[in-house]
Amino acid sequence: MGSSGASGNLEGEMEVDAFRRLFPLRFHERHLLESIRPDARPLERARESTVALGAVASADGSAMAKIGHTTMLAAIKMEVMTPSSESPDEGCVAIDFHMPPICSPFVRPGRPAEVAPVIAKQLSDAITSSGMINLKELSLTTGKAAWMAYLDVYCLDADGALFDAALLSAVAAFSHLQIPAVSINEDGRVVTMSREDGDGKLANDPVIKERRKLTLNCILFSLTCILHKKYILADPTAEEESVMETHVTVVLDSSSRLVSLYKPGGPVLAYASAVQDCIALTRHRVKELQKILNEAISDMEVD
Amino acid sequence: MEIDRPDGRTQNQLRPLACSRNILNRAHGSARWSQGDTIVLAAVYGPKAGTKKNENPEKASIEVIWKPKTGQVGKAEKEYELILRRTLQSICVLTINPNTTTSVTLQVVNDDGSLLPCAINAACAALVDAGIPLKHLAVAICCSLTGSGSVVLDPSKLEEQKMEAFMYLVFPNSVHSVLPEGSLHVDGEPMEHGIITSVTHGVMSVDDYLHCLERGHAASARISDFLRRSLQSQALGNPSKAA
């Protein structure tokens, strides 16, 4: 009796699985009718998210962010450069986003993912246009030396809402960033001091800037929603993104101003009411993410 | 509140629009769209047999190639390609020619601000010229916000750099239909108020965004009328293309 029950169970599971593969849209719509999603979330709930700071020891600032299975690793390297003549008292931030083939079955070796440069552009647009980082703070000596911050975000697992996870990891990496101490040597060149030098005060050269944290003017968080018929699904998985093709990404800063509202096409038209609903969901999500990030920062300070 | 614009336009005034179609001999459809000094040339080839890997073969696929005026294709061009492809996919009837690829090539002739909206309008006119089945047309507009919160339409490159924020909005065109009034309304709102594409730059308040949406609707209706007139006059003037 027990064995027949088990096989019956298995058959039931097989059927659902086959249905999911053969009729993905109907499978998801059947769930939406019951106001639930295949991973048992309500429509407006985002997946569980975690942030861990200092994931890369060799970088000046780093963070690993997870939203559900989507995993992003962000690391910042600081380098001294000569500022451009147009803005002699400003540093610079260079942002790149990488999708190695391990992150998704749709990324093939040797062929760069189509979305990777687009997400990199969106990230640098959001971070530079929001004024999150005061570039003047990255200046060392006017016209001679300034910091160049290289932010690289690596996608380790692409399971939907890539931009949200990438932005979360980037913001967390900036809040973890420690700008190294610098000194000027005999030739008048700016050199960075390694951590041991900075702590032990071994170097004789005059220190012009101590090791310090970067102040962030505002903090950015984002939420991607799917619009499908009359439903709004927050924080979609990769499967949901491939079945329902209308995505809206809202980026808000800490004072609830709109940094970006990004909707690239899609079969569903967004009316003002849907836009407002998406913004309201994002406001709620900003509070959640703010809490997660603050906890990660205070955990770091305890260690 | 009045704002002085470098070219003496009022806030709501668009630059002169011009559209000519069927200008390339070998393309299946082509169009040249200009808004002031911003000029984009679009060519449509296809539908060609087969789709690329990872595309759904049960639907027609659209490929967009962006050619900048000078220099290499960078991240910005890749982003434009993706936005254009998704936007055009949403207005095409993809189930009519399954397992085909239509390529749309955009050549920037001159960039003087509002480049992406200009390219979307050009691509749309070229798709009509090629006879690709469309659900409706798309009209794109650039709205920008000054520091004091007033909206300026269709900014030039100089204005774009000075503005606090600007956004590219794409709406469906207003449909003239034999169906009774109201059948094209969704939740009491006319279909042309729905946003197909929205891309924003810069920080703004949510209210400013919604305000821009309204102004965008109003301006898109004017571009939509222009597009309709231009398509009709050229369709009458050039019956050979239809055959």
Side-chain angles (χ1 to χ4, degrees):
Chain A
M1 282 300 277
S3 70
S4 74
S7 74
N9 242 340
L10 191 66
E11 252 175 26
E13 265 174 37
M14 286 289 283
E15 269 178 20
V16 171
D17 224 30
F19 186 71
R20 185 178 196 157
R21 279 173 166 271
L22 290 170
F23 308 103
L25 187 60
R26 274 171 61 194
F27 175 82
H28 280 92
E29 280 181 345
R30 185 73 188 79
H31 279 83
L32 293 179
L33 271 182
E34 312 285 333
S35 298
I36 193 99
R37 291 155 76 171
D39 52 5
R41 276 188 287 161
L43 302 191
E44 70 283 359
R45 170 100 42 93
R47 291 169 288 175
E48 195 151 311
S49 314
T50 56
V51 175
L53 299 181
V56 183
S58 60
D60 297 304
S62 61
M64 169 109 89
K66 288 191 85 161
I67 297 180
H69 288 296
T70 305
T71 311
M72 294 285 170
L73 182 67
I76 304 171
K77 273 273 196 192
M78 302 295 284
E79 258 171 44
V80 177
M81 55 131 196
T82 320
S84 68
S85 52
E86 296 121 55
S87 48
D89 56 345
E90 283 186 359
C92 195
V93 181
I95 297 170
D96 213 351
F97 180 75
H98 308 268
M99 284 181 83
I102 51 159
C103 76
S104 156
F106 298 105
V107 184
R108 320 231 13 231
R111 213 180 298 168
E114 191 196 17
V115 293
V118 178
I119 292 179
K121 176 84 181 5
Q122 273 181 275
L123 272 179
S124 59
D125 274 351
I127 289 174
T128 51
S129 75
S130 66
M132 180 172 92
I133 295 159
N134 184 3
L135 293 176
K136 293 210 163 48
E137 208 182 312
L138 293 174
S139 173
L140 290 169
T141 47
T142 302
K144 293 225 175 89
W147 284 114
M148 176 95 179
Y150 288 96
L151 167 67
D152 284 275
V153 183
Y154 291 88
C155 178
L156 305 182
D157 191 348
D159 189 22
L162 297 184
F163 177 76
D164 299 354
L167 186 66
L168 179 60
S169 70
V171 168
F174 272 115
S175 55
H176 174 251
L177 177 65
Q178 292 272 358
I179 303 178
V182 284
S183 62
I184 299 180
N185 64 10
E186 292 94 46
D187 314 333
R189 294 190 55 144
V190 176
V191 287
T192 57
M193 295 160 77
S194 64
R195 278 175 205 188
E196 297 77 52
D197 292 347
D199 293 341
K201 302 269 180 224
L202 291 175
N204 310 328
D205 304 330
V207 176
I208 54 168
K209 282 264 164 72
E210 292 288 338
R211 199 166 139 78
R212 65 202 158 108
K213 284 214 120 175
L214 186 70
T215 42
L216 301 180
N217 294 333
C218 59
I219 301 268
L220 308 180
F221 292 113
S222 71
L223 179 69
T224 300
C225 295
I226 281 186
L227 301 183
H228 183 71
K229 296 192 174 156
K230 281 184 179 136
Y231 306 104
I232 299 178
L233 288 79
D235 187 26
T237 61
E239 189 190 359
E240 287 168 336
E241 277 184 353
S242 68
V243 175
M244 296 168 278
E245 289 168 335
T246 311
H247 312 154
V248 179
T249 302
V250 182
V251 184
L252 294 179
D253 70 3
S254 22
S255 46
S256 273
R257 289 184 309 162
L258 190 67
V259 176
S260 163
L261 196 141
Y262 187 74
K263 177 184 187 284
V268 180
L269 300 173
Y271 294 93
S273 57
V275 168
Q276 276 167 319
D277 289 347
C278 287
I279 293 173
L281 285 173
T282 311
R283 281 209 180 107
H284 182 70
R285 177 72 174 154
V286 165
K287 285 185 196 131
E288 279 176 25
L289 289 173
Q290 185 94 57
K291 201 164 152 243
I292 290 168
L293 184 63
N294 287 345
E295 275 167 15
I297 293 172
S298 58
D299 280 358
M300 194 69 197
E301 278 160 3
V302 167
D303 300 342
Chain B
M1 210 178 339
E2 278 303 310
I3 291 166
D4 286 329
R5 301 181 70 169
D7 46 7
R9 282 186 285 159
T10 62
Q11 272 168 263
N12 284 333
Q13 199 176 351
L14 307 175
R15 288 174 288 179
L17 300 168
C19 171
S20 46
R21 291 186 298 134
N22 195 18
I23 47 175
L24 298 178
N25 190 23
R26 299 189 60 82
H28 295 125
S30 57
R32 180 181 184 278
W33 184 280
S34 64
Q35 301 179 200
D37 285 334
T38 305
I39 304 165
V40 177
L41 196 61
V44 174
Y45 295 88
K48 299 177 283 195
T51 51
K52 280 205 243 166
K53 212 162 194 164
N54 293 339
E55 295 274 353
N56 182 1
E58 287 177 16
K59 285 186 172 179
S61 139
I62 291 180
E63 144 188 89
V64 174
I65 301 153
W66 184 283
K67 296 279 181 193
K69 188 182 175 192
T70 53
Q72 297 272 312
V73 174
K75 282 178 192 162
E77 284 76 20
K78 290 276 171 208
E79 190 191 19
Y80 285 160
E81 283 181 2
L82 186 90
I83 294 168
L84 255 160
R85 186 165 62 83
R86 299 243 177 106
T87 304
L88 295 180
Q89 265 172 350
S90 70
I91 61 165
C92 289
V93 187
L94 298 174
T95 43
I96 287 188
N97 297 314
N99 201 18
T100 60
T101 303
T102 303
S103 29
V104 180
T105 311
L106 290 135
Q107 172 68 57
V108 180
V109 180
N110 194 25
D111 174 13
D112 185 30
S114 316
L115 182 61
L116 185 64
C118 184
I120 291 172
N121 291 332
C124 197
L127 284 174
V128 173
D129 190 44
I132 307 289
L134 303 176
K135 283 184 257 183
H136 47 77
L137 300 172
V139 263
I141 176 84
C142 180
C143 307
S144 57
L145 272 165
T146 60
S148 54
S150 38
V151 184
V152 172
L153 294 178
D154 193 23
S156 66
K157 189 140 203 161
L158 196 70
E159 289 174 296
E160 252 178 27
Q161 286 161 353
K162 281 193 298 182
M163 293 295 170
E164 284 285 293
F166 60 92
M167 67 194 73
Y168 302 139
L169 297 169
V170 186
F171 300 100
N173 72 330
S174 43
V175 179
H176 290 190
S177 170
V178 290
L179 294 172
E181 194 75 22
S183 62
L184 289 163
H185 284 222
V186 181
D187 288 340
E189 282 198 85
M191 189 185 83
E192 60 262 31
H193 283 196
I195 311 165
I196 301 179
T197 296
S198 155
V199 180
T200 70
H201 288 262
V203 184
M204 68 199 94
S205 71
V206 173
D207 289 339
D208 281 340
Y209 179 79
L210 295 170
H211 184 208
C212 274
L213 272 187
E214 276 171 33
R215 303 288 278 275
H217 292 151
S220 76
R222 274 181 277 157
I223 301 181
S224 162
D225 286 343
F226 169 79
L227 186 60
R228 184 186 306 278
R229 258 183 288 126
S230 136
L231 295 181
Q232 276 170 347
S233 65
Q234 283 174 43
L236 293 175
N238 182 16
S240 63
K241 186 78 185 178

